[in-house]
Amino acid sequence: MTVQIDNKDLKNFYDNIYAQGDIRDNDKLYRWIINLLKPVKGKSLLDVSCGGGWLLKEASRRNLVSFGFDISSFAVENSKNNSPNSGVFVANGERIPFKDSYFDYLTCLGSLEHFIHPEAGVQEIKRVLKNDGKAIIILPNKYPLEDILKIYRGKNLHEPWQILERAETKDDWKAFLEQNGLVVLKTYRYNKYPEFFQRNTLKIKSIRKFFKTFFLYHFSPLSFSQQFVFICKKV
C-alpha cells in the first residue's frame, strides 16, 4: 500500500483545504461514534487525523479527556477553536507521539485510507491503545450500493478528489486491520445522513435526491454501505 507521494505533499494538500474551509460529516455521526464507545467519564480519547475537531468537541462534551492531532497545521488551529478543552497538535498518524498503552479510546474516522503507509497507522493505533481499550475506525467501501446503481444506470462515478484514496471490501479491510495487530469486534454500516436542506443554507434539495439518500441510508446492506465502522481492540 505504498505510493509515490511524501508527507510534505499530504501536508500541503490538507493545509490548502483547511485554510479555506473544512472536511466534516454530520454532527449525528460524531454523537453516534461516541455512543458506540460507551464512554466512562474521565477516560482518555485520541482522535487520529482530527480535522476540524468536531469529534473532539463531542468527546469533551461527554467529559472525556480528549486529544487529537492532524498533519495539517490549519486543521489543528480550527480544531483548537472548535474544541478548546481538547489537547490538539500537529503530528503524523504513522508516528503517534504518545507512549505505549496510553489511551482508553481511539477514533480514526475516514482518514487511514489516506495515509502513505496505512499499515503503520494501524500498528500505531494498536501501540497507544490500552489492553482493555477500544478503537473505532471508519473506512470506505470499494463497492457501495450507490456506485453500483450509478453504473447500472449508465452514469459515471465521481472522480476521487483527495491526493491519496483507497477503498476495499468489508472483508479486505477487516483482514488488513487484523494483520496489523487489531481484532475487529463488530462492524456497522455508515451511509451519508439524508438532509432535506443544504447545509448552512435554506436551499432545498430535490425531493428525488432526498429520498434516494434516505433509501441508501436506511436500507443498503452492510456489505454495500458507503463506509464501514469497525469497532476494534488490540490483540
Side-chain angles (χ1 to χ4, degrees), residues 3-57:
V3 291
Q4 299 303 311
I5 63 172
D6 59 25
N7 288 318
K8 183 178 179 180
D9 296 326
L10 280 181
K11 178 174 173 54
N12 289 338
F13 178 82
Y14 289 107
D15 274 345
N16 287 334
I17 290 175
Y18 284 103
Q20 302 174 54
D22 202 351
I23 304 174
R24 62 166 300 183
D25 211 298
N26 192 284
D27 289 340
K28 183 181 178 72
L29 170 66
Y30 305 119
R31 291 193 294 269
W32 179 52
I33 292 300
I34 296 297
N35 286 335
L36 286 177
L37 290 171
K38 299 179 181 178
V40 176
K41 180 180 177 180
K43 296 284 189 177
S44 59
L45 175 143
L46 176 68
D47 189 23
V48 174
S49 302
C50 62
W54 303 105
L55 185 281
L56 292 175
K57 181 179 180 179

Side-chain angles (χ1 to χ4, degrees), residues 57-161:
K57 181 179 180 179
E58 182 64 23
S60 182
R61 190 181 72 82
R62 298 288 291 273
N63 296 309
L64 294 174
V65 180
S66 54
F67 296 86
F69 67 84
D70 201 281
I71 197 171
S72 166
S73 55
F74 288 94
V76 167
E77 289 305 309
N78 294 344
S79 188
K80 288 178 178 178
N81 291 329
N82 293 324
S83 186
N85 293 324
S86 301
V88 191
F89 50 91
V90 177
N92 186 323
E94 296 175 15
R95 298 182 68 180
I96 299 176
F98 282 95
K99 65 182 182 180
D100 297 356
S101 303
Y102 193 86
F103 290 99
D104 298 291
Y105 311 116
L106 190 145
T107 54
C108 183
L109 311 183
S111 299
L112 190 62
E113 68 272 19
H114 306 303
F115 284 18
I116 294 178
H117 304 102
E119 63 279 0
V122 179
Q123 291 161 15
E124 281 291 274
I125 288 172
K126 174 195 174 183
R127 183 183 65 78
V128 301
L129 190 65
K130 291 183 179 179
N131 290 335
D132 60 349
K134 190 182 298 181
I136 293 184
I137 301 173
I138 296 184
L139 292 163
N141 188 5
K142 191 174 185 178
Y143 302 114
L145 181 59
E146 182 178 18
D147 286 357
I148 293 172
L149 293 175
K150 282 182 180 179
I151 293 171
Y152 177 77
R153 295 169 61 192
K155 293 190 173 183
N156 294 325
L157 301 180
H158 293 299
E159 290 293 325
W161 65 274

